[in-house]
Amino acid sequence: MTRDAEDAIVDWVKSVAAYTKPYTIHWCDGTEQEAHRLEAELIARGSLVPLNTERFPHCFLYRSDPTDVARTEHLTFICTNDRDEAGPTNHWMSPSEATSRVWPLLEGCMSGRTMYVVPYLMGPPGSRYSRVGIQLTDSEYVVLNLRVMTRMGREALHHFSSSPDFVRGIHSLGDLSPDRRYICHFPATRTIWSIGSGYGGNALLSKKCHALRIASVQARDEGWLAEHMLILGVTNPQGVTHYIAAAFPSACGKTNLALLIPTLPGWKVETIGDDICWMHPGDDGRLWAVNPEAGMFGVAPGTSTKTNPNAMRALTRDVIFTNVALREDLTPWWEGMGEDPGEAVVDWQGRPWRKGAAEPAAHPNARFTVPLRNCPSVGTGMHDPPGVPISAIVFGGRRASVTPLVYEAFDWRHGVYVGATMASETTAAATGAVGVLRNDPMAMLPFCGYNMADYFAHWLAVGRRLARPPRIFHVNWFRVGPDDRFLWPGFGENIRVLKWITERVDENVGAERTPIGYVPYEDDLDIGGAGISLTAVGLLLDVDPELWLEETKRSEAFLGKFADRLPPALRDEHRALVQRLLAASRRRSTS
Ligand code: SAT
Ligand code: MN
């Protein structure tokens, strides 16, 4: 590391310490000994419960403050001089207001605590796409999580020596009061302040704050894409591999899809990432993707040997469980685990709990933090410095109706429109009502660090630079039938949809041209042996022009928020869609 670069870090750490007043400073090296020391400290304090060492070696339970259990989007701000720079979908605070309102909360906030200096690397070591961040935090739990989620310590400093710029994160638990909780992003200075929360995306600043909100701005400025996407490789029985990046809102099954075990014989899926994807145009005209993270922070409830066997296998060692329930034999338990809780269960708040109780034992947003290397399906591509070439981008949401199981956009520009207008029912990953339909463009609504109208324009611009752009698809696993039950079995069976997608990429299969895009011919969707009726397939693939015309009204209201800043290409796409739907609706009524 050069002297200047080192000085820049030391000066910054000193100045933050002088203000936040920790009683001591610890520079993290990311070693196992360091982790063991922190674990022992938290255990002694009663904050970390070691689990059954035979069945869950080196696994722990952590219980967060009951008022601090999910991302708080209303307390998350993009701090730019100009409000329009943040755009109509972000909460905005001017840097001067942040200085007068939030900065004072940091004064002395670490007194009596240790300040940890956590250097972390986002992306594969040796990759020119990888970036360094340094998070200052007074939470041992955060340090332990960062150690799993990123390449932390020496590896980061090593990368820093050749590329000496870094994202600066200051995090303090403060008094954990929701009234004094703020997560502020300063894209201009690549700085993050987070106070008052110790949970997930609010506190592990590498994740949503750095790898998405700040990185999306860097990506805009430098010509790449920082996205809320999983990355997987799918190999067909002939041995051809395609890499797919897929965006779904939080808690909509990204981790399940990324770790999928195919039910179709001869097919293989490997996991490159489950949440975040940085994509760069390559010299070959393709998009190349790296996973900036090294671990998963997944939703526990609903994870079982049926829904995600690979995750269950990964969750047996080196795991931090947060807000799950605890069985008498010191093993973790959650709703939808498919195992018996037994008699004496302790709920996520440490209270006695009995089967059949009204309240769930695990918090609906209970999480596991686990290294990706634990996952049986992890692909070696995860460590490739150039990343993996992306053949298809998939958007998806949780929709009970309207949206078919899968469709393909006509081209990149139409695909950007599909991503920009996608919507999903809200989940427990953020505080607020669950099950409410909201627009969530590219699943980036809570994570885009700048005006989303400019973000759409940036997507269009990146597409123009790609000689071989990925094809763009939209999927919906959550459509229900007249009896309100899911029509599609999901999970491992989703390989059937991935199969169609790769066949489209290889131009091995035709499709029906509908007003919204290319939809599979019923015969082309391989449902053999899945126990899915042809009636269900018909309902899953149905495109109802009337319902879609309603949908376009919702999209229009949403896109209208961006006023003149919306790229004209998206306005054109919207108009063309409405025309196609009107024509289809006329055809239906006259036939
Ligand atoms: O808490 S996190 O933001 O890291 C998880 C999520 O919402 O995807
Ligand atoms: Mn996520």
Side-chain angles (χ1 to χ4, degrees), residues 71 207-208 212 228 248-251 254 275-276 367 447:
R71 276 183 294 104
K207 199 172 183 50
K208 311 300 188 183
L212 290 176
H228 189 206
F248 299 81
S250 300
K254 277 212 305 296
D275 194 40
I276 299 179
R367 298 271 173 164
F447 308 124

Side-chain angles (χ1 to χ4, degrees), residues 187-476:
T189 54
R190 318 293 197 222
T191 299
I192 304 149
W193 299 345
S194 168
I195 183 153
S197 167
Y199 203 84
N202 285 349
L204 313 176
L205 303 187
S206 61
K207 199 172 183 50
K208 311 300 188 183
C209 300
H210 176 165
L212 290 176
R213 297 196 191 95
I214 297 289
S216 62
V217 175
Q218 294 178 304
R220 174 198 66 189
D221 296 347
E222 299 166 8
W224 50 283
L225 296 166
E227 299 300 326
H228 189 206
M229 293 178 177
L230 66 88
I231 310 165
L232 61 79
V234 50
T235 305
N236 69 17
Q238 291 73 47
V240 179
T241 300
H242 284 295
Y243 292 95
I244 297 177
F248 299 81
S250 300
C252 286
K254 277 212 305 296
T255 303
N256 290 342
L257 184 61
L259 273 61
L260 169 149
I261 297 180
T263 52
L264 288 175
W267 288 75
K268 199 182 124 206
V269 166
E270 57 189 300
T271 310
I272 306 294
D274 83 321
D275 194 40
I276 299 179
C277 166
W278 288 354
M279 289 187 286
H280 293 74
D283 296 336
D284 60 356
R286 292 190 289 180
L287 260 188
W288 289 75
V290 295
N291 172 14
E293 300 189 291
M296 301 187 281
F297 183 66
V299 180
T303 306
S304 70
T305 47
K306 184 173 155 277
T307 62
N308 196 335
N310 273 332
M312 291 303 275
R313 256 168 251 156
L315 296 180
T316 50
R317 63 201 146 86
D318 307 320
V319 189
I320 305 168
F321 292 95
T322 304
N323 292 346
V324 300
L326 191 62
R327 288 183 280 206
E328 200 170 17
D329 60 355
L330 295 182
T331 59
W333 190 84
W334 51 79
E335 279 69 23
M337 187 192 215
E339 287 178 24
D340 192 67
E343 288 309 313
V345 177
V346 174
D347 79 358
W348 66 278
Q349 296 186 70
R351 305 171 305 192
W353 182 91
R354 295 234 159 253
K355 252 187 277 189
E359 295 282 307
H363 188 277
N365 193 36
R367 298 271 173 164
F368 51 77
T369 316
V370 65
L372 256 167
R373 75 175 121 76
N374 270 23
C375 180
S377 60
V378 71
T380 51
M382 169 188 171
H383 304 290
D384 284 352
V388 294
I390 296 296
S391 300
I393 288 175
V394 178
F395 295 122
R398 195 180 267 274
R399 298 295 303 265
S401 61
V402 184
T403 313
L405 177 65
V406 58
Y407 66 99
E408 182 188 343
F410 297 121
D411 52 28
W412 181 272
R413 197 179 93 149
H414 177 230
V416 174
Y417 173 83
V418 169
T421 52
M422 72 193 239
S424 189
E425 290 145 23
T426 51
T427 68
T431 55
V434 168
V436 180
L437 188 64
R438 76 167 181 182
N439 278 86
D440 191 350
M442 281 84 168
M444 280 288 278
L445 184 79
F447 308 124
C448 184
Y450 62 104
N451 191 316
M452 284 198 109
D454 301 351
Y455 168 78
F456 302 146
H458 180 58
W459 262 80
L460 293 166
V462 168
R464 283 192 294 271
R465 283 177 48 206
L466 298 173
R468 297 157 70 192
R471 294 193 184 211
I472 300 182
F473 298 81
H474 188 286
V475 300
N476 174 25

Side-chain angles (χ1 to χ4, degrees), residues 49-220:
V49 181
L51 298 183
N52 184 313
T53 44
E54 248 154 64
R55 291 182 50 202
F56 290 88
H58 194 235
C59 291
F60 303 94
L61 164 66
Y62 178 84
R63 297 190 184 106
S64 77
D65 188 280
T67 65
D68 186 28
V69 291
R71 276 183 294 104
T72 42
E73 292 177 5
H74 61 294
L75 304 174
T76 301
F77 295 88
I78 302 297
C79 304
T80 48
N81 287 325
D82 176 4
R83 185 179 203 132
D84 284 344
E85 176 80 12
T89 58
N90 274 314
H91 299 284
W92 173 80
M93 198 187 285
S94 71
S96 61
E97 189 184 347
T99 303
S100 61
R101 214 164 114 193
V102 180
W103 186 243
L105 299 175
L106 287 157
E107 184 167 12
C109 65
M110 295 190 187
S111 72
R113 299 180 188 154
T114 300
M115 178 169 95
Y116 297 90
V117 183
V118 190
Y120 59 85
L121 178 66
M122 302 306 280
S127 171
R128 61 192 172 111
Y129 304 136
S130 296
R131 300 291 166 110
V132 171
I134 299 180
Q135 174 168 348
L136 310 181
T137 179
D138 56 7
S139 161
E140 287 81 11
Y141 166 77
V142 164
V143 177
L144 289 174
N145 274 270
L146 286 172
R147 190 169 173 275
V148 176
M149 294 306 299
T150 71
R151 294 159 174 100
M152 187 253 257
R154 291 196 202 291
E155 252 173 326
L157 292 177
H158 183 73
H159 188 93
F160 181 83
S161 61
S162 60
S163 172
D165 84 62
F166 63 100
V167 168
R168 292 152 200 247
I170 306 177
H171 168 253
S172 172
L173 298 169
D175 62 5
L176 283 180
S177 161
D179 297 330
R180 283 173 293 280
R181 181 177 298 162
Y182 292 96
I183 301 101
C184 292
H185 303 73
F186 303 85
T189 54
R190 318 293 197 222
T191 299
I192 304 149
W193 299 345
S194 168
I195 183 153
S197 167
Y199 203 84
N202 285 349
L204 313 176
L205 303 187
S206 61
K207 199 172 183 50
K208 311 300 188 183
C209 300
H210 176 165
L212 290 176
R213 297 196 191 95
I214 297 289
S216 62
V217 175
Q218 294 178 304
R220 174 198 66 189

